[in-house]
Amino acid sequence: MTDSVAPSLVPKLLPVHAPMAQFPMVEGELFVGGQKLSVLAERVGQTPFFAYDRSLLCRRVAELRAALPEQVKLHFAMKANPMPAVVGLMAGLVDGIDVASAGELKVALDAGADPAEISFAGPGKRDVELIQAVAAGVLINVESSRELPVLAAASKRLGLPARVAIRVNPDFELKGSGMKMGGGPKQFGIDAEQMPEVMAEVGRLGLAFEGFHLFAGSQNLRPESICEAQQKSYELALRLAELAPSPVKFLNLGGGFGIPYFPGEQPLDLAPIGANLQALVKRAAKELPEASLVIELGRYLVGEAGVYVTRIVDRKVSRGQVYLVADGGLNHHLSASGNFGQVIRKNYPVTISKAMGRSAQCSETESVSVVGPLCTPLDLLADRMALPAIAEVGDFAVVFQSGAYGRSASPEGFLGHPASVEVLV
Amino acid sequence: MTDSVAPSLVPKLLPVHAPMAQFPMVEGELFVGGQKLSVLAERVGQTPFFAYDRSLLCRRVAELRAALPEQVKLHFAMKANPMPAVVGLMAGLVDGIDVASAGELKVALDAGADPAEISFAGPGKRDVELIQAVAAGVLINVESSRELPVLAAASKRLGLPARVAIRVNPDFELKGSGMKMGGGPKQFGIDAEQMPEVMAEVGRLGLAFEGFHLFAGSQNLRPESICEAQQKSYELALRLAELAPSPVKFLNLGGGFGIPYFPGEQPLDLAPIGANLQALVKRAAKELPEASLVIELGRYLVGEAGVYVTRIVDRKVSRGQVYLVADGGLNHHLSASGNFGQVIRKNYPVTISKAMGRSAQCSETESVSVVGPLCTPLDLLADRMALPAIAEVGDFAVVFQSGAYGRSASPEGFLGHPASVEVLV
C-alpha cells in the first residue's frame, strides 16, 4: 500500500508496507481467527473492536522457540497487551510474565501465572506496590536504591524473602531503537557505575538477590543492533556478577525485537539473534553456571496477531479527497493515529473488509483518508493511502499490527464515544 | 522557568513560561481553590489528581463577557473538560454547551444544560446519535449530507423538528493555529462550494434550519489571525445565508482562542477580538437581523483553571541528571508529556509544591526532569527544567494549564496504574 502520488512520479521505488499475510483476504473479506470478519463483528455485537488471533500468538511463540536456543527463557511483557484472556493464554505459552505495576501483577496472578516466574519492573514503584510484590513472592526488578530498605522492611514484616534483581542502566544504548531505555542519564534502573554500592547494600539488607535486568531499548528491526546490545548486556552482567552477594540465577537481557509498522519496514530476521544467543548460552554455562538467560518481549509476541476493526460511518469527498469516516479512531488506537511517540506521522497498514453479503473483488485502488469520529484533525488512521476502491458505508476499515499498545495505550474516554471491546479468537 | 543550560550561555534571551499567577505560591506551597495544596491532597485522599478552580472558571467567563460585546453568545465546548461538575458549573455561566458525541450529550443534559442551547458537532455521527439528538431537541451541526435523510426520518418518526445548522468547511484556514480544522480538504463540515445543493436538500427535507457553524482552527495566540478568521467566516455565512431556506438564527464563528503553554508564549490579547466582534455584531444587526453570533470555546475557558497534581515517589540522580519520579504522568496527562499533537516536545509549566508541614523558601533552582511511573521514556512531564531546588520524596510535582484535554484525553489504563481523580474546588 502506498501513499497517493501522481502515477508518473511513482516508479517501483516508493516503500510499501510488509504484506499482512497472517490474515487472509478472500473476496474482499478479511479472515480473523479463521472467521469471516463480518461474522466475527456480528458475534462481537459492536464495532469498534480489537481482535487477537489465538493461533497467531501460539505460532509466534513456536517460531521464537525454534529460532532461539532452548535454554533461553521467554517472558511476556504484558504492558503490550494486558487483556486478561491474552495474559492467560500467554502465561501457558511462555516461561514468565513481566509486569509493570501492581495492577498488572493482579491480572497476571488472576490469569494463573506462576509467581516464581513473574518479574516486576518500573520506575516510581510506590511502597504499597513493593509490599504487594514481596507478599506475592515475585521477582522485583529494583530500579532505584530507594526501593531497597522498603523491600527489606516488607520482607522482615511478612517473613518472606524479597526476591530482587537489579535493573541496570547500562553505559551503552540500543542503536536504531524506536525507544532508547538505557545509556546516558535515565529514569530506568541504576547506573552501572553505582552498582558496587548497591550490591553491597543488597547483601547488607539480606535481600534475596537473583540477578540483573538490562533493557536497552524497544521496537528495533536491526538484528545486528539487538545482538550487540545482548552481547554488551551479557558482558556488563558478567562484570557486575563479581560484585553480587550470591550467584546470578536470572539474567534478563531485555527485548527490543521490533515488528514492521511502516512502509519499507521488513520483519526482523531471527536467525542472527538465535546464533548470538546460542553463543551467549554457551558462555553462560561456564561463566554464570546458575543463570537462566531471559528475553523479555511484549510487542513482538502479540503485535502482529491483532487487528483493530472499525465500521465506516460515512464516505465523503472534500475537495477531491475521499474520506472514510470510521466509528473509532485515536480514542481507541492512539498509536495508529500517529500520536504516540512518533515524530513524523506514518500510516500503519490498513485495509478495507466488506460487510456481510457484500463480497467484492477489486484490483483497483483509490487514495483515501480514514479518519475517526473525533472533532480533531489528529484523529487519522490512514492519510491518503491507496486502498482497494471498494469501501462503502457499513464496510470495515481495519488496522493491522494492532495487538500491542492499542486499547490500553489509548484515551478511551476522549470525546465520550463508546469504548472498544477486545476479543481473543 | 527555563531549561537548564550552562549559565554563561544564558543571557536574558531564553524564552520563559508565562507566569502562572492564578495559583499563588506561599512558602513553597501552592494554593488551589484558596486552599493549601497539601491540605487539598488530604481531602482528595490520593494523588494523582486534577483540581479545577471554580473561582478561576467564573473569572474567566466574566473577563470574556467584559471583553466581548454582550450580544455575542458564549458556548462551552465540553470536549475540553467533560467532568460532570465542571459541565454543570459552566452550564450556569455560559449561553450554551457544545457536545461532540451522544456520550457528551448525556452529560450535558444530566448537568441541566438547556437543550435549546446545546449543539452537537462531530464527523461520523452514528445514526443512533442523530436520533438521540433529535429526541433531545438539540441543534445538530450537520457535517455531511449523509446526515440529512437520517435526521428527516427521525424527525418524522418522533414528530419533533430536526434542528440543524450546517458546519461549513470554509475555503480558508486559521493562520497560526495549533490545529487547522477548516480550509482545503477536510473531514469536518461540508465544503463551502457544495452548499447550494445541501441548502436545497435541507429545504426539501423540511429540516428546521437554524444557521451555520464555522470552525477554522484551535489554540491560536494571534488575535489578528482569529479576527481574520471571524471576519471571513462572517462573510462566508452572509453569502451562504442567501441560499438558506429560512433566516439565519445561529451563527457559530468558532473559537480558536489559545492559552500559553510553552516558554515564550503570552496570554491572548482579547481587546482586538472584542473590537472585531463589535464590528461584526453591528453588521449582523442589519445583514442577519435574526442571528445570534456565537463563540465556541473549550480550552480557553477551562485550561488555565486546572492543575495536575502528582506526588514525588523517588528522587534519583543518573549520570548527573536529577530525576523526580512522580506517581502519575503520561497515563493521566498525555498532552503534558508531549505526546498529543506536538511535533517537537516542549515543557508545560511545572512547579514543586511542598508536602504538609514542609514549607520551604528557596530562590535557587536546579535542573530536574520530572518523569512518571511508566516503563517508557515517553513518560516525561518536565525535561531538564529549572525548578526550585526544594523537591523531596513526598512533595508534589504540579503541572499547570491542565484544565483542558487532560484526564479525558489520556490513556488512563496504560500499564495498570491507578486512575487519577478530578475535583472542582
Side-chain angles (χ1 to χ4, degrees):
Chain A
M1 283 164 274
T2 63
D3 284 353
S4 159
V5 179
S8 64
L9 299 173
V10 192
K12 276 145 198 129
L13 297 169
L14 214 61
V16 299
H17 282 107
M20 294 292 126
Q22 70 271 40
F23 296 105
M25 175 74 87
V26 182
E27 293 178 358
E29 268 216 70
L30 206 67
F31 277 66
V32 176
Q35 219 172 3
K36 274 189 180 182
L37 186 61
S38 63
V39 175
L40 178 59
E42 300 274 345
R43 191 272 263 181
V44 174
Q46 74 155 79
T47 52
F49 62 91
F50 287 87
Y52 312 120
D53 187 315
R54 207 181 288 267
S55 66
L56 292 175
L57 294 170
C58 296
R59 193 167 90 190
R60 173 55 55 107
V61 173
E63 285 165 355
L64 271 164
R65 298 277 193 202
L68 307 186
E70 60 177 341
Q71 297 91 334
V72 168
K73 287 192 170 182
L74 214 54
H75 276 210
F76 174 49
M78 63 170 279
K79 65 170 76 67
N81 189 326
M83 183 197 181
V86 168
V87 176
L89 175 66
M90 297 306 286
L93 295 174
V94 299
D95 305 307
I97 304 286
D98 295 320
V99 304
S101 66
E104 287 193 356
L105 175 58
K106 175 181 158 38
V107 174
L109 292 171
D110 289 346
D114 179 359
E117 307 296 341
I118 293 176
S119 60
F120 177 14
K125 297 184 199 82
R126 290 168 293 127
D127 289 1
V128 63
E129 292 184 296
L130 292 166
I131 295 164
Q132 286 176 270
V134 173
V138 305
L139 180 66
I140 295 129
N141 291 332
V142 171
E143 308 250 0
S144 164
S145 51
R146 190 199 69 83
E147 297 178 14
L148 300 175
V150 181
L151 290 169
S155 172
K156 194 173 165 198
R157 188 166 63 80
L158 294 166
L160 291 169
R163 300 175 55 214
V164 299
I166 309 298
R167 181 168 181 178
V168 184
N169 178 21
D171 34 19
F172 57 88
E173 54 186 33
L174 177 50
K175 288 174 198 154
S177 283
M179 289 182 196
K180 292 186 170 50
M181 300 177 70
K186 285 283 176 302
Q187 70 262 48
F188 306 112
I190 297 175
D191 294 349
E193 50 276 32
Q194 295 176 16
M195 291 300 291
E197 208 179 313
V198 168
M199 289 279 84
E201 183 73 2
V202 166
R204 224 174 3 248
L205 290 170
L207 304 175
F209 172 80
E210 298 200 5
F212 300 107
H213 180 214
L214 291 108
F215 201 102
S218 71
Q219 178 50 22
N220 200 310
L221 289 169
R222 291 161 51 185
E224 65 280 11
S225 302
I226 293 171
C227 292
E228 190 191 321
Q230 287 172 347
Q231 280 162 16
K232 287 185 171 174
S233 296
Y234 178 83
E235 296 289 351
L236 178 55
L238 203 58
R239 290 197 304 277
L240 297 177
E242 293 173 22
L243 306 167
S246 58
V248 172
K249 295 189 213 156
F250 174 94
L251 175 52
N252 184 332
L253 295 172
F257 297 20
I259 64 173
Y261 284 109
F262 306 122
E265 292 184 345
Q266 293 304 317
L268 184 67
D269 181 5
L270 291 178
I273 299 171
N276 186 62
L277 285 171
Q278 189 62 63
L280 292 179
V281 162
K282 222 167 155 181
R283 285 188 60 186
K286 279 179 276 180
E287 296 166 341
L288 297 169
E290 297 189 30
S292 294
L293 300 192
V294 176
I295 296 293
E296 171 186 347
L297 300 170
R299 183 195 316 268
Y300 190 78
L301 289 175
V302 294
E304 304 197 82
V307 287
Y308 172 59
V309 181
T310 65
R311 181 87 73 168
I312 298 169
V313 175
D314 199 357
R315 180 190 167 100
K316 59 193 277 195
V317 182
S318 171
R319 298 186 179 128
Q321 178 60 48
V322 177
Y323 287 90
L324 303 177
V325 186
D327 58 1
L330 87 68
N331 50 335
H332 301 146
H333 201 342
L334 185 66
S335 57
S337 78
N339 289 292
F340 201 52
Q342 294 179 40
V343 178
I344 298 168
R345 189 195 176 285
K346 296 178 195 165
N347 289 329
Y348 269 47
V350 169
T351 197
I352 303 299
S353 183
K354 295 300 290 179
M356 185 75 81
R358 284 196 194 163
S359 66
Q361 262 178 318
C362 178
S363 53
E364 297 203 3
T365 61
E366 60 180 351
S367 169
V368 302
S369 289
V370 180
V371 300
L374 307 192
C375 286
T376 165
L378 299 176
D379 192 10
L380 183 60
L381 293 176
D383 183 20
R384 289 162 293 166
M385 202 166 173
L387 292 182
I390 54 173
E392 300 167 272
V393 169
D395 291 341
F396 303 100
V398 180
V399 183
F400 294 109
Q401 306 298 75
S402 297
Y405 302 111
R407 182 180 180 211
S408 71
S410 299
E412 188 161 88
F414 195 39
L415 267 61
H417 289 277
S420 63
V421 296
E422 297 179 301
V423 289
L424 176 62
V425 291
Chain B
M1 284 164 276
T2 64
D3 284 352
S4 157
V5 179
S8 63
L9 299 171
V10 191
K12 276 145 197 128
L13 297 167
L14 214 60
V16 297
H17 283 109
M20 296 290 127
Q22 71 271 39
F23 296 104
M25 176 75 84
V26 183
E27 293 176 359
E29 267 217 70
L30 207 66
F31 277 67
V32 176
Q35 220 171 2
K36 275 188 181 182
L37 187 60
S38 62
V39 176
L40 178 59
E42 301 273 344
R43 192 271 263 181
V44 174
Q46 74 156 78
T47 52
F49 63 90
F50 287 87
Y52 313 119
D53 186 316
R54 208 180 286 269
S55 67
L56 291 175
L57 293 169
C58 296
R59 192 168 91 192
R60 174 54 55 104
V61 173
E63 285 165 354
L64 270 164
R65 298 276 193 205
L68 306 185
E70 60 177 342
Q71 298 90 334
V72 168
K73 287 192 170 183
L74 214 53
H75 277 211
F76 174 49
M78 63 170 278
K79 64 169 76 66
N81 189 326
M83 184 195 181
V86 168
V87 176
L89 174 66
M90 296 305 287
L93 295 174
V94 300
D95 305 306
I97 304 286
D98 295 321
V99 303
S101 67
E104 287 193 357
L105 175 59
K106 175 179 159 39
V107 174
L109 292 170
D110 289 347
D114 180 359
E117 306 296 341
I118 293 176
S119 59
F120 178 15
K125 296 184 200 81
R126 290 168 294 129
D127 288 2
V128 63
E129 291 184 297
L130 292 166
I131 294 164
Q132 286 176 270
V134 173
V138 305
L139 180 66
I140 295 129
N141 291 332
V142 171
E143 307 249 1
S144 164
S145 51
R146 190 199 70 84
E147 298 178 13
L148 300 175
V150 181
L151 291 168
S155 172
K156 194 173 165 196
R157 188 165 64 78
L158 295 167
L160 292 169
R163 300 173 55 214
V164 299
I166 309 298
R167 181 167 181 179
V168 184
N169 177 22
D171 34 19
F172 57 88
E173 55 186 35
L174 178 50
K175 288 174 200 155
S177 283
M179 290 183 197
K180 292 188 170 48
M181 299 177 71
K186 284 282 176 302
Q187 70 262 47
F188 307 111
I190 297 174
D191 294 349
E193 49 276 33
Q194 295 175 16
M195 290 300 289
E197 211 179 310
V198 168
M199 289 280 83
E201 183 73 2
V202 167
R204 227 177 358 250
L205 289 170
L207 303 176
F209 172 81
E210 298 200 4
F212 300 107
H213 180 215
L214 292 107
F215 201 101
S218 71
Q219 178 50 22
N220 201 310
L221 289 168
R222 291 160 53 184
E224 64 281 11
S225 302
I226 293 172
C227 291
E228 190 191 322
Q230 288 172 347
Q231 279 162 18
K232 286 184 170 177
S233 296
Y234 179 84
E235 296 289 351
L236 177 56
L238 202 59
R239 291 197 305 277
L240 297 176
E242 293 173 22
L243 306 166
S246 59
V248 173
K249 294 189 213 158
F250 175 94
L251 176 51
N252 183 332
L253 295 172
F257 296 21
I259 64 173
Y261 283 108
F262 305 122
E265 292 185 345
Q266 292 304 317
L268 184 68
D269 181 6
L270 290 178
I273 299 172
N276 186 61
L277 285 171
Q278 189 63 63
L280 292 178
V281 160
K282 220 166 156 183
R283 283 186 61 185
K286 278 180 276 179
E287 295 167 341
L288 298 168
E290 297 189 30
S292 295
L293 300 192
V294 176
I295 296 293
E296 171 185 348
L297 300 171
R299 183 194 318 267
Y300 191 79
L301 289 174
V302 294
E304 303 197 83
V307 286
Y308 172 59
V309 181
T310 66
R311 181 86 71 168
I312 297 169
V313 174
D314 199 357
R315 178 191 169 98
K316 59 193 276 193
V317 181
S318 170
R319 300 191 174 125
Q321 179 60 49
V322 177
Y323 287 90
L324 304 176
V325 187
D327 59 359
L330 163 168
N331 50 333
H332 302 146
H333 201 343
L334 186 66
S335 56
S337 77
N339 289 292
F340 202 51
Q342 293 180 40
V343 178
I344 298 167
R345 191 196 176 285
K346 295 179 196 163
N347 288 329
Y348 269 45
V350 169
T351 198
I352 302 298
S353 183
K354 294 301 290 178
M356 183 77 78
R358 285 198 194 159
S359 67
Q361 261 179 320
C362 178
S363 54
E364 295 202 5
T365 62
E366 60 180 351
S367 169
V368 302
S369 288
V370 181
V371 300
L374 307 192
C375 286
T376 165
L378 300 176
D379 192 10
L380 184 60
L381 293 176
D383 184 19
R384 288 162 293 165
M385 202 165 172
L387 292 182
I390 54 173
E392 299 167 272
V393 169
D395 291 341
F396 303 100
V398 180
V399 183
F400 294 109
Q401 308 296 75
S402 298
Y405 302 112
R407 183 181 179 210
S408 71
S410 299
E412 187 161 88
F414 195 39
L415 267 60
H417 290 277
S420 63
V421 296
E422 298 179 301
V423 288
L424 176 62
V425 291

